[in-house]
Amino acid sequence: MSKSIPVGISARHLHVSREHLDILFGVGYQLTVKKDLSQPGQFACEEQVDLVTEKGSFKKVRILGPERKQTQIEIALTDALKLGINPPVRDSGDLKGSPGLTLVGPKGEVKLEEGVIAACRHIHMTTADAAELGLKDKDVVQVRCTGERGLIYDNVLARVSDSFKLECHLDTDEGNAAKINTGNTVEIVK
């Protein structure tokens, strides 16, 4: 019997560095927790900024906390079409050579040379989950979702850390394609 893995659908968002938070919201500004996310220590913030390129923009895009070493914007590929950019599909933190854009906050703007990605599909899991599933960090698997628009996702990255909680993260395009939502489940294809 296969293990059911809860799904988290990830809408466009960004993670900010201390340096950029100071520019966007003012020196020493502290992020305000709106709600905790499923991954321990992660939270959605009250703070939002605009994402702007020469070809398009999105208003009021949510910041996720806590602060990061490097500012990172995660969008779906449909979002990229509106912005007129071509972000690579990458693991979180792998930003080298990715496109940039301008962030507009209430106190200032930041023009990023790089930092926009479409996050690769991934499953957060503890070492115990990984052992149970026969996986190790950075393994790549397939996952199946059932239902009216059931499908199999290829190239799903296993991310193993005891600071994680078991959950498969898909972006809004991927969730819409399978007609699944946060809280639904998927299974690894053996």
Side-chain angles (χ1 to χ4, degrees):
M1 181 168 122
S2 188
K3 182 179 181 92
S4 289
I5 300 170
V7 170
I9 302 296
S10 182
R12 74 183 76 94
H13 65 273
L14 68 151
H15 305 274
V16 293
S17 68
R18 175 75 255 166
E19 174 191 4
H20 294 156
L21 186 60
D22 285 343
I23 294 167
L24 295 166
F25 290 90
V27 175
Y29 189 88
Q30 296 298 308
L31 293 170
T32 309
V33 177
K34 178 179 175 69
K35 70 174 186 173
D36 289 329
L37 300 176
S38 60
Q39 293 304 308
Q42 304 294 307
F43 53 91
C45 302
E46 293 287 350
E47 292 75 17
Q48 299 173 324
V49 298
D50 298 343
L51 309 181
V52 180
T53 67
E54 290 180 5
K55 296 191 176 179
S57 66
F58 286 106
K59 302 284 187 194
K60 297 183 176 181
V61 176
R62 182 125 358 244
I63 295 175
L64 301 186
E67 296 167 17
R68 296 266 181 107
K69 285 188 260 185
Q70 188 173 4
T71 296
Q72 171 176 302
I73 297 95
E74 296 180 35
I75 62 174
L77 294 175
T78 301
D79 296 337
L81 295 173
K82 180 177 178 181
L83 294 173
I85 59 176
N86 186 21
V89 177
R90 300 251 181 93
D91 189 15
S92 182
D94 184 2
L95 306 178
K96 188 168 176 59
S98 64
L101 49 65
T102 300
L103 302 174
V104 180
K107 300 281 187 185
E109 296 183 5
V110 174
K111 182 171 174 49
L112 295 172
E113 296 302 317
E114 64 183 16
V116 183
I117 63 169
C120 65
R121 305 172 188 120
H122 57 279
I123 305 171
H124 290 282
M125 62 185 75
T126 64
T127 51
D129 294 324
E132 181 181 347
L133 294 165
L135 298 173
K136 63 185 181 318
D137 192 44
K138 304 293 186 193
D139 279 350
V140 176
V141 297
Q142 293 181 321
V143 297
R144 174 186 295 119
C145 61
T146 59
E148 185 179 357
R149 297 197 68 191
L151 54 79
I152 294 175
Y153 293 107
D154 281 329
N155 304 319
V156 182
L157 180 67
R159 297 184 57 200
V160 181
S161 169
D162 284 327
S163 66
F164 292 153
K165 178 181 171 190
L166 184 64
E167 189 172 54
C168 178
H169 285 183
L170 305 172
D171 70 23
T172 51
D173 287 349
E174 294 161 334
N176 289 338
K179 201 174 175 184
I180 59 174
N181 298 301
T182 295
N184 292 141
T185 60
V186 294
E187 294 180 348
I188 292 175
V189 177
K190 295 291 180 187

